[in-house]
Every structure is written in C-alpha cells, then in structure tokens.
Amino acid sequence: ESADSRLLKTTGKNMGESGVAAMATTYQKFDPAAYLQYNYVPPRADFERKDSIVPWKLACLHRAFTEGDISGGLLIDVGSGPTLYQVLSGCEVFSKVLLTDFLEVNRQELKRWLQGEGSSLDWTPYIQYVCKLEGRSPSEWTEKAARLREVVSDVLPIDVHRADCLVSCFCLESVSPDLDTFTKALGHISKLLRPGGHLLLIGALQESYYFGGPGVKIPVVPLNEAQVCGSLQEQGFTLIRLEVYTLPSDMKIGVDDVTGCFL
Ligand code: SAM
C-alpha cells in the first residue's frame, strides 16, 4: 500500500469522524416541540386525507405488522425522536418495546407521555386512527394507549455511530464452539465500537466446559493467551494491556475446568 493511499484512507476516516461530530453538535439545538409541529400536525398529519404523509406511514406500518409474520419478544425503535406513531402497530404484536434516542430532550418528551404527564403533542388522533386500521372502534383508544404504556419497557440513549466502550466477560468463549467462531464473534462486536473506542474483555483460559446448572455441562472453546491476542489482532484491535490470572488450586471446585482468566 503506497503512502498516498494510506493518507487518503486516513483523511477519509477523519472527515467521516468530524462529520459525525458536527452532526452531534447540530442536534444539540433540536427542539422536540417544534419538530412535532413541523411534521405531526396537518397538513402532514391530516387523518381526513388519504394522501397525507402520516396516515400513509401508519397504514404501511399497520400492514407490515399484521400481514407478515413480524412479531415476537423485543421490538427496538432506533432514533425514536419525540414520536410514538412508529410503534403504535408494533406494540400489539411484541411483548416489549424499547424506545431510543440520542437526545435527552427527546427521551424526556417520550417519558412524559409514558408517565401520563403532558406531552407536546396529543397522540390521541394517532391512536384512534390505528385503532380504526385494526378494526377496533376509535373509542378503544384508551386501551391501546394503556397497552403501549405497558409494553414500552424503557427509553434509552443511543448513538447509531457506535459505542465508546464495550465490556464483555466470560461470554464469547463460552458461546463459541471453536476458535474461528470466537474470532468472528469478536469481529461482530467490534462493529458496535467507534474507531478508537475501547473493549474490556475478560474471559476464561484453557476452559473446555462449565456447569450452567446441575447436570448442565456447557462446552467452552479452550483458549491460550496467544490465541486471544491473535484473534484480537485479526479483528483489528490494538492490544493495550493484557492481564492474566492463574487460578489457585483451592478455587478449582469442580464447576468448570478453567485454569485462569485474561483481561
Ligand atoms: N423517529 C422520529 C420520527 O420518525 O419522526 C424522529 C426522526 S428525527 C428526523 C432524527 C432523530 O435521530 C432525532 O430524534 C435525533 O435526536 C436522533 N439522532 C441524532 N443523532 C443520532 C445518533 N447518532 N444516533 C441515534 N439517533 C440520533
């Protein structure tokens, strides 16, 4: 690789990172109440008009969650902003809904509605409209509102441009059948980190099994220090510090065959 192409890659990466930082700065001025007024009242949210954008979105989401096979345990809404319309259909077919946003002001807006406190927009016509799509009478909207409040388990911060730090302890090696899968799992979780972010990884050394309960013997990929370092290097991590612990013999109590662990 020539010095020029390395420079280009570096410049490209830095431009991307400074662009992300500039976006974050712009968002500090985001005004939830204004955003709701711009986008979530008529003409954009005119429930008498078929060609209004909000009824179109609600109808699409309704079809997606009722006509297909999309249902299950956890539904995560990424970048919820101060809005709830996007989970009005999903909340009926998932038992848990997580709302997320980058900004505290948006998370506060959502939490106010969830706690039954005043919110910047009245979501009633939205809930009534989705009730109608579901073949329920619009007067059943209070039940739907209660369902939404019940299934939304939290409103969490999120940054889609990745985390600053990950912690993972005794997970990757005890869920991977072999070294190759362990290395791939490291690669998968590395995608969650921002460039320059940190991974604190604790794991077992030379362990081939542990008991997850009486008679529940769970296989573990036995790793040595060199293999851990090799996997980290293969996935583009820079090793800052390696600490190794050797298990004293009186801690070998028969619940696994671990000989030590690494951080
Ligand atoms: N989902 C809502 C909707 O349908 O109207 C809000 C969309 S709004 C155009 C974009 C949202 O992305 C804002 O709520 C903003 O706070 C959030 N956001 C900004 N930066 C983000 C980031 N790095 N990661 C996740 N969300 C981010």
Side-chain angles (χ1 to χ4, degrees):
E1 194 178 80
S2 73
D4 274 359
S5 77
R6 276 204 307 274
L7 185 66
L8 269 177
K9 276 187 195 163
T10 310
T11 314
K13 185 177 153 202
N14 288 344
M15 278 171 62
E17 283 173 42
S18 63
V20 166
M23 293 291 301
T25 304
T26 306
Y27 266 101
Q28 297 314 311
K29 296 190 196 123
F30 186 92
D31 177 342
Y35 177 77
L36 290 168
Q37 283 303 310
Y38 298 153
N39 294 288
Y40 294 103
V41 299
R44 294 195 167 186
D46 186 340
F47 296 102
E48 304 303 318
R49 278 177 58 175
K50 279 248 155 66
D51 63 346
S52 178
I53 180 170
V54 164
W56 178 86
K57 285 194 273 185
L58 293 176
C60 285
L61 287 163
H62 167 72
R63 282 195 297 275
F65 283 111
T66 50
E67 292 173 6
D69 57 354
I70 308 179
S71 62
L74 176 64
L75 172 66
I76 302 178
D77 179 35
V78 176
S80 306
T83 70
L84 290 164
Y85 73 90
Q86 66 275 19
V87 291
L88 290 177
S89 292
C91 75
E92 300 291 343
V93 287
F94 282 82
S95 47
K96 194 168 154 181
V97 173
L98 260 183
L99 301 175
T100 67
D101 200 75
F102 186 65
L103 294 178
E104 171 72 14
V105 280
N106 284 336
R107 299 193 298 271
Q108 286 303 333
E109 177 69 44
L110 296 170
K111 284 180 189 166
R112 276 198 301 276
W113 185 86
L114 290 168
Q115 284 153 15
E117 296 164 13
S119 50
S120 301
L121 190 82
D122 180 10
W123 293 102
T124 311
Y126 284 73
I127 302 172
Q128 289 177 329
Y129 189 78
V130 179
C131 275
K132 238 163 68 185
L133 292 174
E134 290 169 352
R136 297 154 72 178
S137 103
S139 64
E140 289 177 60
W141 74 272
T142 47
E143 279 167 34
K144 188 165 187 61
R147 164 84 190 169
L148 184 58
R149 287 189 168 107
E150 185 192 311
V151 297
V152 172
S153 58
D154 218 339
V155 183
L156 295 177
I158 193 171
D159 181 349
V160 296
H161 300 302
R162 304 177 187 188
D164 297 321
C165 185
L166 296 176
V167 177
S168 182
C169 301
F170 299 104
C171 177
L172 304 190
E173 72 282 3
S174 63
V175 300
S176 303
D178 50 46
L179 179 61
D180 186 48
T181 313
F182 171 82
T183 308
K184 283 195 180 119
L186 258 182
H188 296 153
I189 67 166
S190 77
K191 295 196 187 102
L192 299 169
L193 268 182
R194 68 166 169 79
H198 290 88
L199 168 67
L200 296 173
L201 185 69
I202 291 186
L205 287 171
Q206 302 295 15
E207 185 178 47
S208 71
Y209 71 88
Y210 76 100
F211 281 104
V216 185
K217 197 173 183 181
I218 299 175
V220 178
V221 53
L223 298 171
N224 61 36
E225 286 170 49
Q227 286 168 322
V228 174
C229 296
S231 296
L232 286 167
Q233 194 180 17
E234 195 178 323
Q235 295 300 346
F237 285 98
T238 303
L239 184 62
I240 297 175
R241 183 188 303 171
L242 174 69
E243 300 196 36
V244 172
Y245 170 85
T246 305
L247 210 73
S249 55
D250 68 335
M251 292 202 193
K252 296 182 180 166
I253 52 175
V255 296
D256 53 43
D257 63 350
V258 69
T259 64
C261 61
F262 63 87
L263 176 135

